[in-house]
Amino acid sequence: MEKSNAVSAHFPEILSELATEVKHGLAKTPKRLSSRFFYDDEGSRLFEEIMHLPEYYLTRSEYEILETHKDELLRVFSAGDRPFELIELGAGDGLKTKVLLGHFWSEKANFTYAPVDISRAAVDKLADDIRKKWPQMEIQPQHDDYFNAIERLSNRSPTRQDRPRLVVLFLGSNIGNFSPAEAADFFGKISQSLQPGDLVLTGFDLQKHPAVIHAAYNDRQGLTKAFNLNLLRRINRELEANFDLSAFDHYETYNPETGEARSYIVSQKEQTVLIGNLNQRVHFDYGEIIHTEISRKFTRAGIEQLAQQAGFKLSHWLTDCKHYFADVIFRK
Ligand code: AVJ
């Protein structure tokens, strides 16, 4: 059977969540499917490749920020010598987080690390990797989605003055996939689960020249297209559907007035697709779209508002030298 070190309690629910999403999302006009479902093992692997694309500046910008400020971050997290617990939501391959982990480890900081990810392959690989690099580091990998992880945060043992400080990491501008209401709700829930002095470090992609943003989601190699179309492959596999991937394309828009980059899947012909497990036929007109993702770009004012609504104080604002990206600390 499968070997895994990670906690895995919610996998069956996710499968039926996909069925529900497909059933309702493809019956809507316009059709839509949530980017939450991109991250099966193959989707996570494709996203790791996207992070290395020349057009996809986000990862490099955030890497630069963490590398430049790792010492300052350690001082803020540990407040001198206090133990802290890092909880990373959507850890993925942990490429950027390892910059911090390595530094904290070599400085002999007193911390534990709990990466949470929806892809089991990703979280297992990350855990193996950390155990190889730093065998003594205390880690608690969790295979789960972040909403469940936040819920578990709030169910933790009661308030103790001397407990380690919690530091929630939410890097990579994953927050950009949320609607404004979802983002407010997300920070609100985290805030309710934290004690005064606990911290949240979030990566936000910032508004900039629209052409730079558009290119990041419209790469010449076609990886973003493969990443989007992988959702159809996943539906074929998990719901016994018969999407012909060669009959669909990828289309991206960026609207600088709203800060929204939007991804679409486009039907290149009139066609009907069978979703076997749902016993549902879905008709596509020529050129009809499925809206799959919003990758929101932020302003400082918008970020300050998010902090304030959730009852946080914005305590640190760190950017890369091009001001493309910000890693921001909210303090409860
Ligand atoms: C993982 C949500 C940060 O929106 O930039 C990359 C996902 N989508 N290319 C993003 C993604 C298309 C990515 N996040």
Side-chain angles (χ1 to χ4, degrees):
M1 289 304 289
E2 259 174 288
K3 163 190 163 285
S4 175
N5 306 313
V7 179
S8 174
H10 302 278
F11 201 60
E13 276 166 48
I14 287 162
L15 214 136
S16 69
E17 279 177 35
L18 177 66
T20 310
E21 177 75 11
V22 169
K23 186 169 174 211
H24 297 296
L26 295 187
K28 282 184 188 151
T29 314
K31 293 179 169 57
R32 60 155 312 153
L33 292 170
S34 165
S35 58
R36 278 185 69 190
F37 299 96
F38 280 163
Y39 303 92
D40 63 354
D41 292 341
E42 174 66 3
S44 295
R45 197 193 61 72
L46 282 165
F47 179 60
E48 283 171 24
E49 279 192 54
I50 286 174
M51 289 193 281
H52 292 99
L53 283 171
E55 293 95 338
Y56 197 76
Y57 59 84
L58 289 80
T59 310
R60 280 184 302 280
S61 297
E62 187 167 47
Y63 194 93
E64 177 194 320
I65 295 169
L66 299 179
E67 181 61 49
T68 308
H69 296 280
K70 60 191 181 187
D71 208 46
E72 183 180 357
L73 288 170
L74 177 56
R75 274 184 275 119
V76 176
F77 293 173
S78 69
D81 59 357
R82 201 177 143 187
F84 58 96
E85 224 178 292
L86 290 171
I87 297 174
E88 180 166 23
L89 305 177
D93 67 357
L95 181 70
K96 291 154 284 164
T97 319
K98 281 178 217 156
V99 173
L100 298 182
L101 297 177
H103 180 66
F104 297 174
W105 187 251
S106 68
E107 294 296 308
K108 304 190 164 50
N110 185 354
F111 71 102
T112 61
Y113 176 52
V116 179
D117 201 274
I118 191 73
S119 160
R120 172 183 287 195
V123 82
D124 282 351
K125 189 162 152 262
L126 174 59
D128 284 349
D129 199 46
I130 290 173
R131 289 192 183 105
K132 261 183 217 123
K133 278 202 174 73
W134 305 290
Q136 311 295 329
M137 192 181 286
E138 205 184 304
I139 61 170
Q140 293 129 16
Q142 293 162 22
H143 169 222
D144 210 341
D145 78 10
Y146 14 90
F147 304 99
N148 291 324
I150 292 169
E151 209 139 280
R152 274 207 314 278
L153 262 188
S154 53
N155 296 334
R156 286 151 59 104
S157 52
T159 333
R160 279 193 359 241
Q161 275 307 310
D162 60 340
R163 74 152 170 69
R165 158 184 272 166
L166 282 190
V167 180
V168 177
L169 303 179
F170 194 47
L171 304 181
S173 205
N174 287 333
I175 189 70
N177 283 165
F178 295 0
S179 70
E182 285 167 340
D185 184 58
F186 176 78
F187 284 116
K189 284 201 174 110
I190 293 179
S191 175
Q192 283 165 23
S193 312
L194 299 183
Q195 301 294 326
D198 289 342
L199 304 172
V200 186
L201 174 67
T202 310
F204 292 93
D205 195 20
L206 301 176
Q207 294 184 11
K208 61 185 68 64
H209 195 305
V212 173
I213 294 171
H214 186 261
Y217 296 89
N218 201 40
D219 63 291
R220 298 175 56 112
Q221 234 172 287
L223 274 175
T224 310
K225 172 178 173 177
F227 180 63
N228 264 271
L229 294 188
N230 178 60
L231 184 50
L232 303 184
R233 182 176 295 129
R234 178 176 184 182
I235 295 168
N236 280 349
R237 189 182 62 242
E238 294 188 20
L239 302 179
E240 290 181 37
N242 67 351
F243 281 101
D244 169 8
L245 269 62
S246 71
F248 291 90
D249 197 10
H250 162 72
Y251 178 67
E252 188 72 26
T253 63
Y254 176 64
N255 181 344
E257 295 186 40
T258 60
E260 286 180 357
R262 287 175 170 250
S263 291
Y264 299 93
I265 291 171
V266 187
S267 175
Q268 310 220 70
K269 60 179 191 192
E270 185 179 357
Q271 54 185 323
T272 299
V273 175
L274 176 68
I275 318 288
N277 286 4
L278 296 173
N279 207 358
Q280 181 181 352
R281 270 166 214 286
V282 182
H283 179 81
F284 288 88
D285 283 334
Y286 175 79
E288 189 173 346
I289 54 93
I290 309 172
H291 169 49
T292 55
E293 186 178 39
I294 293 180
S295 299
R296 188 176 308 282
K297 307 307 165 193
F298 294 84
T299 60
R300 179 159 181 159
I303 294 166
E304 278 168 359
Q305 201 192 340
L306 273 174
Q308 208 187 13
Q309 278 172 346
F312 285 115
K313 189 177 161 293
L314 194 164
S315 79
H316 292 74
W317 172 269
L318 310 172
T319 67
D320 58 302
C321 66
K322 289 177 172 160
H323 297 268
Y324 276 4
F325 200 96
D327 276 294
V328 184
I329 299 180
F330 292 175
R331 175 190 285 265
K332 171 88 172 183

